[in-house]
Amino acid sequence: MKKNYPIGIQSFEEIRKGNYCYIDKTALVYKLAESGKYYFLSRPRRFGKSLLISTLEAYFQGRKELFEGLSMGKLEKEWTEYPILHLDLNAQKYDTPDSLYDMLNDMLCGWESRYGTRPSETSLSLRFQGIIQRAAEKTGRNVVILIDEYDKPMLQVIGNDELMTDYRNTLKAFYGVMKSCDKYIKFALLTGVTKFSKVSVFSDLNNLMDISMDNRFASLCGITEEELYRDFKEDIIELGEKNGMTEKETKATLKEMYDGYHFTEKSEDIYNPFSLLNTFAQMRFGSYWFETGTPTFLVELLKHSRYNLYRFTEEMADADSLESIDTMYINPVPILYQSGYLTIKGYDKEFRAYYLGFPNKEVEEGFTRFLLPCYAHLNTGNSSFEIMSFVKDIRKGDVNAFLQRLQSFFSDTPYELARDLELHYQNVLFIVFKLLGFYTQAEYHTSNGRIDMVVKTDKYIYVMEFKLDGTAEEALQQIHDKQYALPFASDSRKLYKIGVNFSEKMRGIEKWLIEEN
């Protein structure tokens, strides 16, 4: 029977009543509810945070009928109904000083119509405090507080320091109420993409347990490989048949495209749920998560912090830095991790440091394509066309066309990038190298003032040396001196040795030399 895939549906009740497929996470939800009181969870967008909130809401409403056949149905015996304050900050656009106030005021007015108000409660935080207390007193049961996308207002105003400070101060006071109302609260969970550290938003709420990097709850959002193979067995077979692939090939492609997220050093592989559901619904592989939108502020942070994109291949971060984005203007790595563009690839126990990298091909290729027009000048303005032309030039051995296209990437270099031309040319070449690597074999090395690159196709091998403010002759001579072409001496493919010089004065490629073997 064809499954109903809950794409875009974040209501647990709708999923259960509509007979949509549901990966049973309720044993973990039960564990969460029973083992603690105040929680914070950070996960990338479209990873199921809102569904988790909705599941908890149904559980604390005592909706036993929705959990029949699930793990929770066997685990919970009492099914008590608690008063619930569910704040969803996802729906509003936050771009003015009044936007956040209007959103919070609207939610508070709704709760006050149910639980009452007092004239003395004049501020947002005082009103929230009064609502929590009266909800507990009127119902005789402590309150459950569920806050979805707590950080949405601040993420939307990154770059606007005045509004950021205003929002942060408002939310700090608002969320801080929960600590003073502890005796009236049964359970609280805040979710978001990023974590603004305890010195800012959470400084008045320092009793939160951050489970974002907690092994116990690593698979609370997302789909594990075990869950994928167990609950989507027929879907995998059908996907393979529709795309001319064996079951083994289909599983390998799913893993390459959508797997690879790790939220702790010991976490099992987590697949992107949004991409998996879309793949099975449409029966084709695509960049579903990435195409829902990459925030341009991430690129601005990379540029502002003078980030060398080559570091994506060897990035490291300590545990403390990954848990906060407060230094994002000088170090964009934590927000890239928390947003899902980088993930944990390994762990150095001695130094408590994480090795980071792209989680999978969907993110790696999508993000690299997204970066190209942000760093390079495109004559056509069309990234896909430029990449396709690049690859075609390489495959047919048209070296001059390839280099002319590369040269055009550096025309009209923006002034703010031209101030650090070496970093700029390294970043553009890294993007080009990564994009070529999706269609050819490519190796890339960088050190001060120079880059060497090897690109292989079925007919050609290109050995390239790039210099800054040297000469093309010196670059070509270095290929000879360092014997870069020696590993290919017995290879039947045609070999090109290419020396390229970048000129700071010209703000681009000044000259190239080609030697054929």
Side-chain angles (χ1 to χ4, degrees), residues 3 47 71 110 121 136 139 169 208 239 271 280 292 318 374 391 417 431 464 493 511:
K3 283 191 179 77
F47 248 78
S71 297
E121 295 167 358
T139 62
N169 290 339
L208 278 177
L239 177 65
Y271 285 73
F280 291 134
T292 59
D318 62 58
C374 300
V391 174
L417 296 177
I431 294 169
M464 295 175 266
R493 288 172 285 187
K511 183 181 179 182

Side-chain angles (χ1 to χ4, degrees), residues 435-450:
L435 291 172
L436 285 176
F438 295 120
Y439 305 95
T440 65
Q441 285 182 277
E443 298 171 19
Y444 177 95
H445 307 95
T446 180
S447 61
N448 291 336
R450 50 168 294 274

Side-chain angles (χ1 to χ4, degrees), residues 351-411:
F351 296 101
R352 292 187 68 239
Y354 294 97
Y355 298 98
L356 304 175
F358 292 114
N360 51 49
K361 186 177 179 181
E362 178 188 13
V363 176
E364 184 174 19
E365 185 171 2
F367 195 53
T368 310
R369 282 174 175 265
F370 183 79
L371 289 174
L372 182 61
C374 300
Y375 281 85
H377 171 77
L378 304 185
N379 288 329
T380 63
N382 185 330
S383 295
S384 296
F385 174 80
E386 297 288 353
I387 296 162
M388 184 173 66
S389 301
F390 241 94
V391 174
K392 286 184 175 179
D393 291 340
I394 287 284
R395 284 178 177 166
K396 65 186 180 186
D398 195 340
V399 189
N400 280 303
F402 162 76
L403 290 167
Q404 284 165 4
R405 194 173 304 280
L406 185 62
Q407 186 180 45
S408 72
F409 283 1
F410 292 91
S411 63

Side-chain angles (χ1 to χ4, degrees), residues 277-319:
L277 292 175
N278 274 278
T279 298
F280 291 134
Q282 300 186 37
M283 282 295 151
R284 68 174 185 85
F285 297 96
S287 297
Y288 300 105
W289 178 81
F290 196 88
E291 288 169 0
T292 59
T294 294
T296 53
F297 75 78
L298 287 179
V299 177
E300 295 307 315
L301 289 176
L302 289 172
K303 290 179 178 179
H304 184 272
S305 63
R306 299 180 66 251
Y307 187 83
N308 186 332
L309 300 180
Y310 184 73
R311 283 171 53 190
F312 281 140
T313 64
E314 53 184 19
E315 190 55 80
M316 291 189 72
D318 62 58

Side-chain angles (χ1 to χ4, degrees), residues 167-234:
Y167 284 178
R168 185 156 41 198
N169 290 339
T170 298
L171 291 173
K172 176 183 174 185
F174 191 82
Y175 297 144
V177 163
M178 286 186 273
K179 188 172 182 181
S180 59
C181 290
D182 177 66
K183 66 179 180 178
Y184 300 111
I185 295 174
K186 162 72 176 173
F187 179 90
L189 171 66
L190 287 80
T191 72
V193 171
T194 57
K195 184 177 179 185
F196 291 84
S197 78
K198 291 179 180 177
V199 299
S200 55
V201 177
F202 294 139
S203 58
D204 291 341
L205 188 58
N206 55 12
N207 54 340
L208 278 177
M209 180 187 294
D210 185 355
I211 58 170
S212 306
M213 301 180 75
D214 187 325
N215 270 317
R216 296 174 301 162
F217 302 107
S219 61
L220 188 58
C221 295
I223 298 175
T224 67
E225 193 157 272
E226 181 185 353
E227 291 165 340
L228 172 64
Y229 292 169
R230 181 193 70 206
D231 294 352
F232 294 94
K233 183 173 177 57
E234 297 83 4

Side-chain angles (χ1 to χ4, degrees), residues 11-170:
S11 163
F12 179 71
E13 179 181 6
E14 185 178 350
I15 286 174
R16 295 296 288 161
K17 287 186 174 180
N19 199 31
Y20 289 92
C21 68
Y22 175 72
I23 305 295
D24 188 0
K25 301 284 187 180
T26 60
L28 279 176
V29 171
Y30 181 80
K31 183 177 182 180
L32 188 72
E34 290 298 307
S35 59
K37 184 172 179 179
Y38 295 98
Y39 292 104
F40 169 75
L41 175 66
S42 163
R43 284 292 181 268
R45 59 190 168 83
R46 297 188 179 272
F47 248 78
K49 299 186 297 296
S50 297
L51 177 57
L52 171 64
I53 290 279
S54 180
T55 307
L56 281 160
E57 184 171 27
Y59 169 63
F60 283 114
Q61 286 172 336
R63 304 284 302 278
K64 180 179 179 180
E65 76 281 2
L66 296 178
F67 293 88
E68 287 182 12
L70 301 177
S71 297
M72 182 76 82
K74 302 187 186 82
L75 293 167
E76 181 57 63
K77 307 299 181 188
E78 296 181 6
W79 295 102
T80 306
E81 181 180 0
Y82 295 90
I84 296 171
L85 302 178
H86 180 180
L87 175 60
D88 183 0
L89 291 175
N90 219 354
Q92 178 78 8
K93 182 179 181 183
Y94 302 95
D95 55 0
T96 69
D98 294 332
S99 301
L100 179 58
Y101 176 86
D102 291 344
M103 180 69 180
L104 295 176
N105 179 60
D106 182 62
M107 292 302 302
L108 290 169
C109 285
W111 295 332
E112 284 166 342
S113 68
R114 195 181 317 157
Y115 300 115
T117 183
R118 280 196 296 263
S120 60
E121 295 167 358
T122 53
S123 68
L124 295 171
S125 52
L126 279 174
R127 290 167 66 191
F128 190 33
Q129 181 174 303
I131 289 165
I132 294 170
Q133 181 177 340
R134 285 189 296 278
E137 289 173 346
K138 284 192 172 186
T139 62
R141 293 194 176 95
N142 279 3
V143 177
V144 171
I145 299 173
L146 303 171
I147 300 178
D148 197 9
E149 304 290 3
Y150 91 97
D151 55 346
K152 189 70 174 284
M154 291 173 292
L155 287 178
Q156 287 194 358
V157 296
I158 285 179
N160 184 336
D161 292 341
E162 184 178 349
L163 207 49
M164 171 74 85
T165 301
D166 182 46
Y167 284 178
R168 185 156 41 198
N169 290 339
T170 298

